[in-house]
Amino acid sequence: MVDDLQSQLSSREQQLGVLENLILTRELNKQVYPEGRPVQDGVDFLVFWTRADPLTGYSAVHKGLEFCGSRGH
């Protein structure tokens, strides 16, 4: 009976660890992605172009969201 309880406890501990990781990942993602727009007025658009990768120095496709606005806004 004690072995069964120990096994159940171990299983619950693993489940709680998985749930904790999911919650932490969700919270981290909330902090990583910006909310709102960085400019008040202007146009935003998705762009793709080739540029030098800042880590490798080799040419790589850059995918990004551009925000065009007046200076200071």
Side-chain angles (χ1 to χ4, degrees):
M1 186 170 157
V2 173
D3 289 339
D4 285 341
L5 288 174
Q6 183 64 34
S7 177
Q8 288 178 6
L9 183 60
S10 178
S11 175
R12 297 278 191 235
E13 188 176 23
Q14 289 176 354
Q15 291 172 355
L16 287 173
V18 169
L19 287 174
E20 181 181 30
N21 284 335
L22 289 172
I23 291 169
L24 290 174
T25 299
R26 182 180 292 166
E27 290 302 313
L28 180 61
N29 283 334
K30 284 181 186 177
Q31 294 175 18
V32 169
Y33 294 107
E35 293 181 7
R37 294 172 47 107
V39 295
Q40 292 176 355
D41 299 315
V43 178
D44 56 316
F45 53 92
L46 191 61
V47 294
F48 299 91
W49 68 85
T50 303
R51 66 175 180 136
D53 185 289
L55 299 177
T56 66
Y58 293 105
S59 182
V61 174
H62 172 73
K63 300 178 268 187
L65 187 58
E66 294 291 322
F67 295 94
C68 300
S70 301
R71 183 179 292 260
H73 290 123

